[in-house]
Amino acid sequence: QMQLVESGGGSVQAGGSLRLSCAASGRTISTYGMGWFRQAPGKEREFLSSIQYSSDVTDYSNSVKGRFTISRDNAKNTVYLQMNSLKPEDTAIYYCAATHFRISRQRGDYIYWGQGTHITVSS
């Protein structure tokens, strides 16, 4: 089993930045693709970004491409999401997750999930 714990959420004004961390325990993330998702009230959980085992391949949804950057430090067993130019519509609970696939946009491909961290962006 892998446990994932997100941190770094909070409240920020539009245009601001936040950096989320996702610390893994129980298993090493080095053999897993890692991803970030978010879920706003009344909406489906949405794919944001994914990163391959070795960090050389990343993928982003159109909604965050150019504003968010995913990275990983396998030695620290941690994945990050740097979020810049935040907008009120980025308000949601943010989740990290692990998949056996190298990289994936599909929520069903992810087998381990964190409990989420809240982000509120005010205008």
Side-chain angles (χ1 to χ4, degrees):
Q1 287 285 349
M2 179 187 290
Q3 291 77 45
L4 300 171
V5 178
E6 302 93 340
S7 60
S11 297
V12 64
Q13 288 194 328
S17 298
L18 284 173
R19 188 194 195 203
L20 302 183
S21 298
C22 173
S25 61
R27 295 190 178 209
T28 175
I29 66 170
S30 62
T31 58
Y32 290 83
M34 300 298 295
W36 285 96
F37 292 74
R38 70 184 177 192
Q39 189 166 15
K43 294 190 176 181
E44 295 276 323
R45 193 167 296 191
E46 171 192 13
F47 166 78
L48 298 178
S49 183
S50 183
I51 185 167
Q52 193 178 305
Y53 313 140
S54 58
S55 305
D56 57 348
V57 178
T58 57
D59 185 26
Y60 296 92
S61 69
N62 288 338
S63 61
V64 305
K65 195 168 189 176
R67 299 189 299 125
F68 291 9
T69 302
I70 191 171
S71 61
R72 64 192 294 162
D73 186 336
N74 289 340
K76 293 184 178 180
N77 230 25
T78 301
V79 182
Y80 305 96
L81 187 67
Q82 176 67 43
M83 305 183 295
N84 299 327
S85 303
L86 284 161
K87 306 174 182 179
E89 51 264 43
D90 293 320
T91 295
I93 300 173
Y94 283 68
Y95 300 89
C96 72
T99 177
H100 285 307
F101 291 89
R102 291 187 177 182
I103 196 166
S104 175
R105 291 186 167 214
Q106 303 303 316
R107 189 174 64 188
D109 288 342
Y110 288 81
I111 55 172
Y112 300 115
W113 290 85
Q115 82 289 348
T117 186
H118 287 257
I119 291 177
T120 301
V121 184
S122 57
S123 57

